[in-house]
Amino acid sequence: MEVIIVGSAAEAGRIGADAIQALYDRKPEAVLGIATGSSPLAVYDELGRRVRDGKVSLKEAQAFMLDEYVGLRADHPERYRNVIQRVFVDQVDINPANVHGPDGLAEDLAAACEDYERAIADAGGVDLQLLGIGTDGHIAFNEPGSSLASRTRIKTLTAQTREDNARFFDDDVELVPRHCLTQGIATIMSARHLVLLASGRSKAEAVHQMAEGPISAMWPATALQLHPHVTVLVDHGAASRLQLADYYRQTYEAKPQWQEI
């Protein structure tokens, strides 16, 4: 796990976009894993600028979403498929038909989850997966207590997650769905490269546990310690609990120029 401490969200966005651009330079048909939330927005903004400037293209790409609420109507602005359309698809040149998400409106949710796992596998797997992290250490909607071997499935959201997300629903927690479909931890771990972004002191304990704590289902993101290629981009606030922060800074400063993230 490589931990990179940055000075701003813009810097994190630049480094994340560097990794995506390098991927598409060598593999134009690569599969990108995309996330909602505030953490990846700087990456999408920077990637959009590069697409508009002709520096990178996602025309041949496929993309898979991490999760989706269950039961939100198709035109609801907070349905994650619509959020991804606004923050990602509208900024780049990817074919919208090549952007996939779990079907939170399916009559048979279990079958929809199986179909989604199959679609990811049929696409050849995810080459680079963007991630955020919750204050309780969840990744995607894998709440504390989630199986580290889990695959795409229905999950019940915790009260904390619903309260955290109420800001997107007029600050009314009762409007936040109680269930979601989410890629499992094992599904996420199957991606070839994981890039996790976090900012602010509210994420500091989760980042500390993820990078330096014991592997535990109580902090689902700690499973990332077992992945061979993880890049963590954190600002000073999110890095404030890291015991090895000075070492992470020294390692990044001394990194060979030829070595990508």
Side-chain angles (χ1 to χ4, degrees):
M1 180 181 291
E2 180 180 22
V3 178
I4 301 173
I5 301 172
V6 300
S8 66
E11 185 179 357
R14 177 184 60 78
I15 296 172
D18 284 346
I20 295 172
Q21 181 172 342
L23 170 64
Y24 283 99
D25 283 348
R26 65 177 181 268
K27 186 179 180 182
E29 74 284 6
V31 178
L32 183 65
I34 48 179
T36 54
S38 58
S39 297
L41 292 180
V43 176
Y44 298 149
D45 290 344
E46 177 64 21
L47 196 60
R49 280 190 287 271
R50 297 185 189 192
V51 168
R52 292 189 295 273
D53 291 343
K55 295 179 180 178
V56 64
S57 176
L58 278 66
K59 287 182 178 179
E60 299 180 47
Q62 290 200 66
F64 285 85
M65 295 165 48
L66 279 174
D67 40 35
E68 182 59 273
Y69 287 119
V70 168
L72 283 188
R73 66 181 190 274
D75 63 347
H76 195 290
E78 295 308 320
R79 182 173 182 252
Y80 279 170
R81 183 62 183 82
N82 297 329
V83 173
I84 285 295
Q85 181 70 38
R86 294 194 302 270
V87 303
F88 172 68
V89 177
D90 288 348
Q91 295 211 65
V92 298
D93 58 349
I94 193 169
N95 182 348
N98 288 341
V99 178
H100 314 282
D103 185 0
L105 292 173
E107 290 188 13
D108 188 336
L109 293 172
C113 292
E114 293 176 4
D115 290 345
Y116 198 58
E117 283 282 329
R118 191 176 304 110
I120 294 172
D122 289 347
V126 173
D127 291 291
L128 186 153
Q129 176 67 62
L130 293 173
L131 295 168
I133 185 171
T135 56
D136 58 3
H138 73 253
I139 49 176
F141 272 135
N142 294 285
E143 303 282 24
S146 293
S147 167
L148 302 186
S150 56
R151 291 285 177 175
T152 302
R153 67 214 186 284
I154 187 170
K155 286 290 290 182
T156 300
L157 300 179
T158 65
Q160 182 62 58
T161 295
R162 294 180 70 232
E163 289 172 8
D164 289 346
N165 288 359
R167 67 188 189 277
F168 301 115
F169 292 84
D170 297 325
D171 290 320
D172 186 348
V173 71
E174 292 305 315
L175 296 179
V176 182
R178 294 182 180 272
H179 298 95
C180 67
L181 302 185
T182 183
Q183 287 189 32
I185 295 173
T187 312
I188 293 168
M189 292 285 285
S190 297
R192 297 174 184 89
H193 183 192
L194 305 177
V195 178
L196 184 144
L197 302 98
S199 62
R201 286 186 175 272
S202 66
K203 301 294 180 71
E205 182 63 23
V207 168
H208 162 61
Q209 293 291 340
M210 174 191 65
E212 300 172 339
I215 296 172
S216 169
M218 289 303 294
W219 292 92
T222 58
L224 273 56
Q225 294 178 31
L226 299 174
H227 195 283
H229 191 186
V230 181
T231 304
V232 177
L233 302 172
V234 290
D235 67 5
H236 297 296
S240 60
R241 282 276 289 117
L242 291 172
Q243 294 173 274
L244 298 175
D246 288 343
Y247 175 67
Y248 301 141
R249 292 186 178 97
Q250 293 164 13
T251 300
Y252 187 59
E253 290 171 0
K255 190 171 184 175
Q257 290 187 347
W258 54 262
Q259 190 177 25
E260 298 177 349
I261 68 168

